[in-house]
């Protein structure tokens, strides 16, 4: 069952649910445990659609959860993760609800004593001894950390020299990120030991 309104020629599903019979769909028009939905039904103009029947309850559950995950209806109260929810390839079921959260902003990253951050982009390509990041089969945590910690280009030692001279100017956090612009996710978060910059090995440029 789906209930939706038409706004600017686009249909917006307001609620998706399942039941054993067609009367389950119309019962919401009389009484429902969802007070906000009930109040909306009393005053809104909408269209009610019923799909099915399905061969078993499991199929009905799958259809319902798939609709909820793709359309995010306003009046569906259950937002928990489900193995039937649509999600990007490789995203574990337990992390599905994170996709509904707002993206991190500047204030989310720079908290407490964090004033500067090193961002290390991790692609899906394996570069020598550095593994690539695959969403379907991600490498181990240890391999990701090793990838993020190795081989940065810091502009002819300009930054490194500054951080050695004045530890207060040093970044305090390293973030490993992967994904395309606008759809990037953090895969590693490492605290910087600002007292160890002197021990960093600077590689010479290859000719």
């Amino acid at each position: 069952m789906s209930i939706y309104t038409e706004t600017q020629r686009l249909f917006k599903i307001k609620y998706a649910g399942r039941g054993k019979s067609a009367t389950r769909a119309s019962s919401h028009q009389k009484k429902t445990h969802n007070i906000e939905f009930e109040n909306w039904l009393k005053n809104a103009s909408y269209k009610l659609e019923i799909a099915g029947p399905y061969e078993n309850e499991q199929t009905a559950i799958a259809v319902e959860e798939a609709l909820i995950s793709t359309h995010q209806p306003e009046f569906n109260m259950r937002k928990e993760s489900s193995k039937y929810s649509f999600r990007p390839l490789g995203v574990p079921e337990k992390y599905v609800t994170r996709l509904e959260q707002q993206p991190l902003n500047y204030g989310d990253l720079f908290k407490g004593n964090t004033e500067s951050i090193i961002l290390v982009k991790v692609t899906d390509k394996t570069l020598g001894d550095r593994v690539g990041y695959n969403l379907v089969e991600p490498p181990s945590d240890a391999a990701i950390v090793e990838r993020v910690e190795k081989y940065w280009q810091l502009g002819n030692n300009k930054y490194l020299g500054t951080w050695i001279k004045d530890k207060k100017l040093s970044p305090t956090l390293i973030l490993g990120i992967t994904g395309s612009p606008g759809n990037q996710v953090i895969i590693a978060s490492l605290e910087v030991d600002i007292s160890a910059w002197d021990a960093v090995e600077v590689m010479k440029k290859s000719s």
Side-chain angles (χ1 to χ4, degrees), residues 25-129:
S26 58
S27 66
H28 284 286
Q29 297 171 308
K30 298 179 180 178
K31 187 67 176 179
T32 174
H33 63 281
N34 189 326
I35 301 302
E36 291 186 3
F37 184 36
E38 182 178 338
N39 292 335
W40 180 84
L41 286 170
K42 292 177 181 178
N43 302 294
S45 176
Y46 56 86
K47 183 177 181 180
L48 173 65
E49 288 190 342
I50 301 174
Y54 302 105
E55 59 183 7
N56 52 50
E57 183 182 10
Q58 201 64 29
T59 302
I61 292 174
V63 172
E64 178 195 31
E65 293 294 348
L67 283 171
I68 293 174
S69 70
T70 54
H71 295 281
Q72 294 297 309
E74 179 181 348
F75 296 111
N76 277 94
M77 301 176 68
R78 293 182 291 108
K79 300 291 185 179
E80 71 273 13
S81 62
S82 165
K83 62 181 178 180
Y84 301 113
S85 297
F86 284 102
R87 55 188 182 274
L89 190 63
V91 175
E93 179 184 333
K94 62 182 179 180
Y95 296 138
V96 171
T97 54
R98 292 189 180 184
L99 301 176
E100 301 171 13
Q101 299 178 6
Q102 292 297 316
L104 295 176
N105 56 37
Y106 187 91
D108 295 322
L109 297 176
F110 292 88
K111 291 181 177 180
N113 296 323
T114 302
E115 296 185 359
S116 59
I117 296 173
I118 295 177
L119 296 177
V120 179
K121 184 176 181 179
V122 180
T123 69
D124 59 351
K125 306 297 182 183
T126 295
L127 305 173
D129 58 348

